[in-house]
Amino acid sequence: MSAPTQAAVIQPKMPYLGARLRAIYEWIESAQAIQSYQEIWDCCCDHGYLGIKILAQELCEQVYFVDQARHLIDDLQQRLKVYPADRYQAFTADAGQLQLAPDKRPLIIIAGIGGELSIDIIHQILHNHQGHSLDFLFCPTTTQFDLREYLAEKPFELQHETMVTEKGRDYEIICARWNSPQPHPQPVSKTGEHWDLNDAVHHRYLSKLIRHYQRRTLGENAREARRVLTIYQTLWQQLDTAS
Ligand SMILES: C[S@@+](CC[C@H](N)C(=O)[O-])C[C@H]1O[C@@H](n2cnc3c(N)ncnc32)[C@H](O)[C@@H]1O
């Protein structure tokens, strides 16, 4: 009699994460040891690569996938079937409308969209969850200053900030807490405070931002562009003096 064959366990193919999503994932993985997030919300999830990695690695009790594009969520629902159904949910919805449980500790990821759109989404989430303590992770693709200024002018506590380069493009990652119980929480800075002009990537990124706002002073909203430009130029001078 031949030996019983072991049933083949088919492991789902893990999506490849580019440098940007990998940096976000690695921060979540290390933060999870301290923060113990129960729910992680992959908002604007697109194909859900980041959330799938979080789900597959069992980083938290529940992963929520949210995107406004129905075809993306329909496709994602099919690919998620290999995971236990009680560990995730996927919704077609505006990320601003997510419903958070008051007794769960959430991390809300808003990455891969512009800073201004991120503000619209946060604004709605805060409006619908007054009194909750909420941790956010942002990685805006454009208008980072607008997002930072919004966070800086509200009682957000900075948790972490860094940057990552993918395919020659630099991105800021900002983690911030709404309603921190700390008596003197560290605010989010309008420009970021992690810069070092001796670091070639930081040097390139800040020079690019300054050139961007210099160009914008020639177009519409020149006054606003000059205001932001002055803030970045002041930062540059301070860093230059210190280095
Ligand atoms: C470029 S993808 C970002 C994917 C992933 N988060 C990342 O960082 O690579 C942007 C996604 O945001 C979704 N999106 C844009 N605005 C949204 C909103 N208000 N609510 C939900 N999804 C939104 C789009 O449908 C799209 O799938």
Side-chain angles (χ1 to χ4, degrees), residues 20-21 24 42-47 66-69 72 93-96 111-113 117 121 139:
R20 186 176 57 83
L21 291 182
I24 295 174
D42 186 0
C43 294
C44 306
C45 65
D46 199 355
H47 297 290
V66 184
D67 201 286
Q68 65 185 8
L72 290 173
D94 182 326
I113 60 168
L117 180 52
I121 293 173
C139 184

Side-chain angles (χ1 to χ4, degrees), residues 51-63:
I52 290 175
K53 174 89 177 177
I54 293 167
L55 178 62
Q57 297 303 120
E58 301 182 356
L59 278 199
C60 66
E61 288 170 20
Q62 278 277 329
V63 181

Side-chain angles (χ1 to χ4, degrees), residues 94-150:
D94 182 326
Q97 297 308 317
L98 56 82
Q99 297 292 324
L100 298 162
D103 56 340
K104 299 279 182 185
R105 191 158 162 58
L107 172 68
I108 301 158
I109 304 164
I110 302 178
I113 60 168
E116 285 169 304
L117 180 52
S118 304
I119 295 170
D120 290 345
I121 293 173
I122 311 161
H123 189 74
Q124 291 177 67
I125 294 174
L126 298 184
H127 177 78
N128 294 336
H129 300 89
Q130 289 168 22
H132 289 221
S133 176
L134 306 174
D135 282 13
F136 290 88
L137 185 153
F138 304 106
C139 184
T141 49
T142 56
T143 54
Q144 299 78 358
F145 181 85
D146 301 60
L147 173 61
R148 279 189 169 279
E149 187 163 63
Y150 177 87

Side-chain angles (χ1 to χ4, degrees), residues 145 148 152 157-163 172-175 185-197 202 205-206 209 231-232 235-236 238-239 242:
F145 181 85
R148 279 189 169 279
E157 178 185 34
L158 179 69
Q159 298 289 301
H160 172 73
E161 59 184 347
T162 187
M163 60 176 307
E172 297 182 41
I173 297 175
I174 307 156
C175 306
Q186 181 186 356
V188 175
S189 139
K190 289 187 186 184
T191 53
E193 291 192 340
H194 57 296
W195 306 115
D196 172 4
L197 287 187
H202 292 197
Y205 179 73
L206 287 174
L209 270 182
I231 293 173
Y232 277 116
L235 169 73
W236 184 279
Q238 286 164 352
L239 292 169

